[in-house]
Amino acid sequence: MTTTTTTTNRPGLAPRLSALTKVVELGPGRLDKKLLNDAGALLLRAGDRLKLSSEHTVVALAGGTGSGKSSLFNAISGLELSPTGVRRPTTARTHACVWGLEGAAPLLDWLQIHHRHRFSRASALDKGDSQLHGLILLDLPDHDSIRALTDTEADRLIGLADLVVWVLDPQKYADASTHRRYVTELAGHDAVTVFALNQADRLTAEELAELVIDLNDLLRREGVEHPSVVPTSAVTGRGIESLKSVISTAVGRRRAAIQKIEADLHRLEQKLSQAMPMGEALSAPSTVDDARRMGLTDALCDAVGVPAVGEAMENVYAERSSRWVGWPYPRWIGKFRTDPLKSLRLEDVGKEIRGIATTSVSAQSAEVTNAVQALTDGLSMGMHPVWRTAVHQAARSRSSQLPQALTEDLTEVAPQLDRVPGWWRVLKVWQYFLVVAFVAGLAWLAVGLLMPGQLPPALELLGDSATLPWVGLMMASVLGLGALSGIASRNFVELGASRERERLEREMRRRVAAVSATMVVEPVERELGRHHAFYTAMRDLSV
């Protein structure tokens, strides 16, 4: 016995099932658990059904106690007087009558129909029912029986059947339990649902016509746009052929299984759309753009004091350079004044940077939180509240670690203030040479003025009054040259300090951007990508 499997589906069904798979994959934590379970069950049911015989159509007769459902089953199948001695189907277990057994066994196994309750119409006497070839007719347990309270077999098979024939009796055709539990869930299932108003023999023609009109109106009010109502009587045989014709049409098209899945998809898609309206969801960003990245980096740089550190480094660089390249005389005089470094408390910028996490920790944490909040507020604007919350949670997932991570990373780039550029050393030697030259000139003047003519012949030049003006000019030149070199060196130092500040701030900014990308942007982009993929799948599901 071989099984015929589906090889071709309605264009669009496979992509829609794939889209639903994506929704189920991305939905946890975003969608109601029951809705996710329903979607997962539909995917499982659709996948199983599409793998099984496409040559068979499963038609279930469903109804309440006393509706005559089993009698109708016998009337359609003709098995009540079966020569095999099969007893009349009851409401205790589902019975199945199969027209064409080949390939039906796996499908019956999937439906969980017991072998004792499977019947075949494959004999030569059944050629008149050839239009029903491929039909699997199920007589379900009464959905409102006492047994049904503990046995969900009827509900299970109503969900699995390709086409459902609801058997209603004239007394309880508007039964609230049936309509509330089942009929209101059939909106969009018009093509795979038939209503048999049974026991028509108990009514006059006028009463039957009135009931048919009333039932049609009731079904339309409950969302069944195009109800198919067939009056039947298992006793007189009235309407049996009409019902068989409706069933045979569905069987002949071999599309009821696909239509049932499509109807289930449509119904589920409506529920998903109510839970997660599409709106302008796909216009929300799926990534963090460069402008927002830059804004986050700027805010975090302010939060950790990058500009202040850069300014402190520049000030310290300039002040410490005076010990090397400043004209020594003003520096020696400055020792009698208060040390500007101590007043600024900037002796060690490395310690200042390492102290970022411990100085004003709460304020910095608040600033970091505000920076992250500003980013997520802009990105999640217009999102469903569930997704907006998810984006904020993703951004904050590592925010508690962010201040410490920034501190540790920036500490590594603390400038080495004990590093002395080579040109500072050369200039210092030059300036002390000028100091020595000035002292020598000063000694020359002192000797020439205080000891004229008293020096030995070898040193007479020092006491020669004619040389003193030249010595004075030399000393003035030394002082001028020293002052000029000091001014020039200070200009070069300030230029170098500015460049060092720019380098330091650029490196610190690069590191802040890298940390924020890892700890904030990446988690946020994962959630944005999930949001975009979810709503893309929702769009594809509704096509």
Side-chain angles (χ1 to χ4, degrees):
M1 187 177 296
T2 60
T3 301
T4 304
T5 57
T6 299
T7 57
T8 58
N9 300 331
R10 180 184 73 85
L13 179 58
R16 291 180 70 197
L17 289 174
S18 297
L20 182 59
T21 302
K22 197 68 176 178
V23 169
V24 171
E25 177 186 335
L26 299 173
R30 311 292 179 267
L31 287 171
D32 178 71
K33 186 176 293 186
K34 183 182 182 303
L35 195 55
L36 278 176
N37 290 340
D38 290 345
L42 174 57
L43 285 172
L44 182 62
R45 184 168 69 248
D48 289 343
R49 182 63 185 93
L50 293 174
K51 292 175 184 176
L52 296 169
S53 174
S54 62
E55 299 301 316
H56 288 84
T57 301
V58 180
V59 178
L61 297 180
T65 305
S67 63
K69 170 176 52 62
S70 296
S71 298
L72 197 60
F73 175 83
N74 285 333
I76 297 174
S77 63
L79 287 177
E80 187 174 5
L81 299 177
S82 174
T84 60
V86 177
R87 62 179 178 172
R88 182 179 182 274
T90 68
T91 58
R93 286 287 182 267
T94 300
H95 290 68
C97 182
V98 183
W99 280 256
L101 278 175
E102 185 177 1
L107 185 52
L108 290 168
D109 291 340
W110 178 64
L111 294 170
Q112 299 178 25
I113 307 299
H114 196 278
H115 288 275
R116 292 177 52 195
H117 302 138
R118 301 179 185 182
F119 311 104
S120 173
R121 292 299 307 269
S123 69
L125 297 176
D126 299 325
K127 292 182 179 178
D129 285 342
S130 61
Q131 75 275 13
L132 296 178
H133 184 80
L135 168 64
I136 297 179
L137 184 65
L138 304 181
D139 180 20
L140 305 185
D142 300 334
H143 67 75
D144 58 354
S145 67
I146 295 176
R147 180 179 179 82
L149 296 176
T150 56
D151 189 347
T152 59
E153 184 174 8
D155 288 347
R156 180 179 63 83
L157 288 171
I158 287 171
L160 295 180
D162 301 328
L163 185 147
V164 178
V165 178
W166 284 97
V167 183
L168 307 173
D169 68 88
Q171 288 75 32
K172 296 190 295 183
Y173 73 93
D175 178 59
S177 65
T178 299
H179 288 262
R180 183 173 60 251
R181 289 179 58 191
Y182 300 105
V183 177
T184 55
E185 294 295 318
L186 296 176
H189 288 67
D190 302 17
V192 289
T193 307
V194 179
F195 298 89
L197 186 57
N198 201 24
Q199 301 175 3
D201 56 286
R202 298 182 180 181
L203 305 171
T204 65
E206 292 79 8
E207 291 174 334
L208 180 61
E210 184 178 343
L211 285 183
V212 169
I213 293 173
D214 188 53
L215 178 58
N216 273 280
D217 291 342
L218 176 62
L219 293 172
R220 288 192 183 95
R221 287 197 300 270
E222 293 177 339
V224 183
E225 294 183 7
H226 306 288
S228 175
V229 179
V230 182
T232 60
S233 172
V235 175
T236 65
R238 177 178 179 175
I240 300 299
E241 290 303 318
S242 296
L243 181 58
K244 290 174 68 174
S245 176
V246 172
I247 294 174
S248 66
T249 299
V251 172
R253 289 177 178 173
R254 302 288 190 267
R255 281 188 42 80
I258 300 296
Q259 289 175 320
K260 175 63 179 302
I261 295 172
E262 290 175 340
D264 289 344
L265 272 175
H266 176 70
R267 179 69 176 175
L268 183 62
E269 184 270 327
Q270 288 182 322
K271 294 180 179 179
L272 289 170
S273 295
Q274 291 175 359
M276 289 285 176
M278 177 69 70
E280 300 297 324
L282 287 177
S283 64
S286 58
T287 59
V288 180
D289 57 86
D290 291 341
R292 286 193 172 93
R293 286 174 182 262
M294 187 178 299
L296 176 63
T297 300
D298 290 341
L300 291 178
C301 284
D302 290 339
V304 297
V306 168
V309 172
E311 183 178 0
M313 188 283 303
E314 184 177 16
N315 291 336
V316 172
Y317 186 96
E319 291 296 336
R320 291 194 172 179
S321 67
S322 63
R323 301 178 184 177
W324 290 86
V325 299
W327 184 225
Y329 294 116
R331 183 169 69 250
W332 292 337
I333 295 173
K335 286 184 178 181
F336 297 99
R337 298 194 301 267
T338 303
D339 188 350
L341 291 182
K342 292 182 180 179
S343 64
L344 291 173
R345 300 184 66 183
L346 295 172
E347 297 91 339
D348 190 344
V349 175
K351 291 182 180 179
E352 292 289 331
I353 298 175
R354 286 189 289 272
I356 289 176
T358 57
T359 56
S360 305
V361 173
S362 59
Q364 290 174 355
S365 297
E367 292 176 10
V368 169
T369 300
N370 291 338
V372 174
Q373 183 76 23
L375 173 73
T376 52
D377 284 345
L379 290 170
S380 62
M381 186 178 299
M383 286 186 179
H384 188 282
V386 171
W387 286 101
R388 186 163 60 247
T389 300
V391 172
H392 281 268
Q393 289 177 342
R396 293 194 299 264
S397 61
R398 302 181 65 185
S399 61
S400 61
Q401 308 166 19
L402 189 55
Q404 183 64 26
L406 289 170
T407 300
E408 292 176 355
D409 210 46
L410 294 182
T411 300
E412 297 178 3
V413 297
Q416 298 178 356
L417 296 178
D418 57 350
R419 180 179 59 86
V420 178
W423 70 273
W424 286 15
R425 298 180 185 275
V426 173
L427 189 58
K428 187 173 185 178
V429 171
W430 164 252
Q431 289 174 334
Y432 274 95
F433 170 76
L434 293 178
V435 168
V436 171
F438 180 80
V439 171
L442 187 62
W444 193 331
L445 285 177
V447 170
L449 293 175
L450 299 176
M451 303 175 64
Q454 299 180 17
L455 296 176
L459 299 176
E460 286 182 355
L461 182 61
L462 295 177
D464 188 355
S465 60
T467 63
L468 296 182
W470 295 105
V471 172
L473 179 61
M474 179 198 71
M475 292 177 62
S477 299
V478 167
L479 288 175
L481 187 59
L484 182 62
S485 64
I487 294 173
S489 65
R490 292 294 296 174
N491 291 335
F492 282 114
V493 165
E494 289 177 1
L495 180 61
S498 177
R499 289 177 178 175
E500 283 294 310
R501 175 179 180 175
E502 292 177 0
R503 182 200 62 79
L504 176 63
E505 291 187 356
R506 184 168 56 250
E507 177 62 15
M508 293 177 74
R509 183 181 177 83
R510 185 189 68 78
R511 294 195 175 222
V512 168
V515 172
S516 65
T518 301
M519 304 187 73
V520 178
V521 174
E522 288 181 7
V524 167
E525 284 195 327
R526 282 195 295 269
E527 196 60 40
L528 293 177
R530 182 176 180 178
H531 173 269
H532 185 78
F534 177 87
Y535 277 100
T536 298
M538 287 283 288
R539 180 198 62 195
D540 296 342
L541 178 62
S542 63
V543 171

